[in-house]
Amino acid sequence: MAAVNALDEQPDFVVFTGDLTQTTDDRKLRRDRMAEFRDIVSQLKVKTVRFMPGEHDASLDRGEAYQEFFGDLHYTFDHNGVHFITLDNVSDPTAAVGEKQLQWLQADLKQLNKDAQIVVLTHRPLFDLAPDWDWATRDGAAVIDTLLQHPNVTVLYGHIHQEHHHMTGHIAHHAAKSLMWALPEPGSVPKKAQIPWNPAEPYKGLGFRNVEAQVPQARYEIEEFPISRG
């Protein structure tokens, strides 16, 4: 999750970067969980809340239930001089963006000025962070090649539940900690698994991120916050 500020103001919108719910094969339970999450986040005291699906929300039914509660799987919006592009790399169970969505992205970018300030929101990383852990996008290289045509692009993604920073050319990719379900660093253990819960450190590895946007300079100051009691 990222809370986004613009021009040193208080956070005016919050972005959830996917996995709003836990996976279930039960169609009714899936919708019950989404309704519960929607009701919880409705209490946030910010002007705007934006969502995108994670594979736990959308991979089993190609996003059918997600769309009933939260709308389009991929979309764009503009906020305080920044063009946001939300990509879906989860509703396809092969972990791909797909040709149709890639064409949609290319068409959207053609409408922008070359020096437009662009922030891409996605769930899985677009680069190969740890493909054997499902921490990659099958056609992410094609997406990055498309984005590299613009000089001012930043990517915020979820999925890995931890702070991570990576560059592909001039594009910076940033992931934040999760509000729950802490995961280990890629390759640090033989098999990906949730970090065991420790009652002595119940919030270890959990957190969220604040992004301070300096739009004219195309600079985004990122600060990580841990979850703490009280």
Side-chain angles (χ1 to χ4, degrees), residues 11-31:
D12 50 9
F13 75 93
V14 168
V15 175
F16 286 87
T17 50
D19 285 348
L20 313 179
T21 60
Q22 178 62 299
T23 302
T24 174
D25 292 328
D26 186 314
R27 295 180 74 255
K28 181 180 183 304
L29 181 57
R30 183 180 303 135
R31 286 163 172 79

Side-chain angles (χ1 to χ4, degrees), residues 16-221:
F16 286 87
T17 50
D19 285 348
L20 313 179
T21 60
Q22 178 62 299
T23 302
T24 174
D25 292 328
D26 186 314
R27 295 180 74 255
K28 181 180 183 304
L29 181 57
R30 183 180 303 135
R31 286 163 172 79
D32 288 346
R33 288 176 176 176
M34 290 188 179
E36 182 179 12
F37 176 82
R38 179 196 58 195
D39 293 343
I40 291 170
V41 297
S42 70
Q43 301 174 50
L44 288 171
K45 292 179 172 55
V46 292
K47 288 196 245 181
T48 304
V49 181
R50 297 282 180 174
F51 305 100
M52 74 188 72
E55 81 282 3
H56 289 283
D57 310 305
S59 64
L60 294 183
D61 63 359
R62 292 190 175 268
E64 177 184 331
Y66 173 90
Q67 291 176 85
E68 293 174 13
F69 287 87
F70 302 108
D72 293 336
L73 297 168
H74 62 273
Y75 59 93
T76 68
F77 63 97
D78 295 286
H79 185 81
N80 285 354
V82 179
H83 184 69
F84 288 83
I85 302 172
T86 302
L87 294 178
D88 164 29
N89 56 2
V90 296
S91 65
D92 182 336
T94 68
V97 169
E99 185 61 31
K100 184 176 181 180
Q101 190 180 176
L102 183 60
Q103 292 176 1
W104 168 85
L105 171 64
Q106 293 167 343
D108 179 70
L109 292 173
K110 284 181 180 179
Q111 300 178 55
L112 303 178
N113 293 331
K114 199 68 176 179
D115 60 350
Q117 312 298 336
I118 300 168
V119 172
V120 176
L121 305 171
T122 187
H123 184 67
R124 286 187 174 95
L126 295 175
F127 57 94
D128 287 348
L129 174 57
D132 54 334
W133 281 16
D134 185 37
W135 289 3
T137 299
R138 187 163 56 86
D139 52 358
V143 176
I144 291 172
D145 285 347
T146 298
L147 295 171
L148 281 170
Q149 299 172 34
H150 288 260
N152 300 314
V153 179
T154 301
V155 179
L156 303 179
Y157 70 97
H159 194 53
I160 70 171
H161 294 205
Q162 60 197 264
E163 180 181 359
H164 191 267
H165 309 280
H166 180 77
M167 297 295 296
T168 55
H170 58 265
I171 298 175
H173 304 250
H174 305 288
K177 293 178 180 178
S178 173
L179 294 175
M180 62 183 299
W181 205 279
L183 291 172
E185 294 182 9
S188 62
V189 293
K191 183 178 180 181
K192 180 183 68 173
Q194 181 184 11
I195 296 174
W197 186 73
N198 180 355
E201 299 178 287
Y203 306 112
K204 183 179 181 180
L206 303 180
F208 65 98
R209 158 173 298 166
N210 185 74
V211 181
E212 190 78 27
Q214 304 293 335
V215 177
Q217 295 81 25
R219 188 173 74 245
Y220 303 93
E221 297 179 6

